[in-house]
Amino acid sequence: TAVANEMNVSRTPVREAFQFLANEGLLELRPNRSAIVNGITDQYIREHYELRILLEGEACSLATRNRMETSSFFDWITNLPPLCEETLNEYRCFNQEFHLSIWKAAGNSKMEQILLSLWNGPSFGRCISELKHTELSLQEHTAILNAIADDRPERARCCMQEHIRRSMNSILTRPR
């Protein structure tokens, strides 16, 4: 009730949000009493990224096998402008579209929905700048696309898994 009052909303959306956070393991609900914030631990981050590594790797492999039917998903990627400080916001949008396109091209709507629920955007830590992280990501995206274009599903899988693993390691270096 206190959170709902503070936010000037009814209790229903707060209850639903709390239930969602509890399902994610971020909140512990005590019936008719309170909610305790569990926070995000390194273990939580690892588990989250391990799922992404498995599922996005498989999505890449499936997208490669389906590439003749889904080539339009990848056509727009080849005409990107060069990266600079001013284009970092554009990159964030591109990055999401890149991953969403692969999920869609995989042709598995359930996998796509699960990956969408795991999406957390760019993951850079304190060891490298956002611009450097973005440059590395674009190199990795290129390797992924080349593997897809060359009809190498296992290579595409490995490239995506390394891409997500680097993101996980990057986020684990970020102070929380």
Side-chain angles (χ1 to χ4, degrees):
T1 305
V3 173
N5 290 340
E6 186 177 322
M7 299 187 76
N8 200 26
V9 297
S10 73
R11 290 185 304 188
T12 302
V14 172
R15 193 175 312 127
E16 289 172 359
F18 277 18
Q19 189 60 53
F20 175 81
L21 292 170
N23 290 340
E24 291 291 313
L26 297 173
L27 202 63
E28 182 183 329
L29 296 178
R30 295 188 173 170
N32 300 319
R33 290 176 41 211
S34 63
I36 298 172
V37 176
N38 291 332
I40 297 176
T41 64
D42 285 356
Q43 182 63 27
Y44 179 88
I45 292 169
R46 277 189 201 89
E47 290 174 0
H48 174 91
Y49 276 92
E50 286 167 356
L51 281 174
R52 282 192 60 199
I53 288 167
L54 289 170
L55 292 174
E56 289 209 53
E58 183 60 21
C60 257
S61 179
L62 289 170
T64 304
R65 290 183 179 102
N66 297 337
R67 74 181 170 79
M68 291 307 183
E69 297 87 42
T70 58
S71 62
S72 63
F73 286 117
F74 303 107
D75 290 344
W76 60 272
I77 293 173
T78 57
N79 297 315
L80 290 172
L83 183 69
C84 65
E85 291 282 354
E86 292 77 37
T87 61
L88 284 175
N89 283 336
E90 291 174 30
Y91 169 76
R92 288 183 193 104
C93 293
F94 161 76
N95 184 55
Q96 185 170 8
E97 283 300 313
F98 174 84
H99 287 270
L100 289 171
S101 294
I102 289 173
W103 306 342
K104 188 169 287 306
N108 184 320
S109 59
K110 187 65 174 174
M111 181 186 292
E112 183 181 350
Q113 288 303 310
I114 292 169
L115 283 165
L116 192 56
S117 75
L118 294 172
W119 180 252
N120 55 302
S123 309
F124 63 95
R126 65 175 180 227
C127 292
I128 61 173
S129 69
E130 185 175 1
L131 183 60
K132 182 66 177 167
H133 170 79
T134 302
E135 289 169 350
L136 288 170
S137 287
L138 286 175
Q139 290 170 7
E140 293 162 349
H141 288 173
T142 300
I144 293 164
L145 288 175
N146 287 341
I148 292 169
D150 293 343
D151 198 23
R152 297 176 60 200
E154 289 309 310
R155 177 75 182 135
R157 177 196 316 272
C158 288
C159 288
M160 179 60 84
Q161 288 174 333
E162 286 305 310
H163 174 59
I164 303 300
R165 189 170 286 110
R166 185 184 61 78
S167 289
M168 176 184 71
N169 292 333
S170 221
I171 200 103
L172 286 170
T173 66
R174 185 185 299 173
R176 288 179 291 288

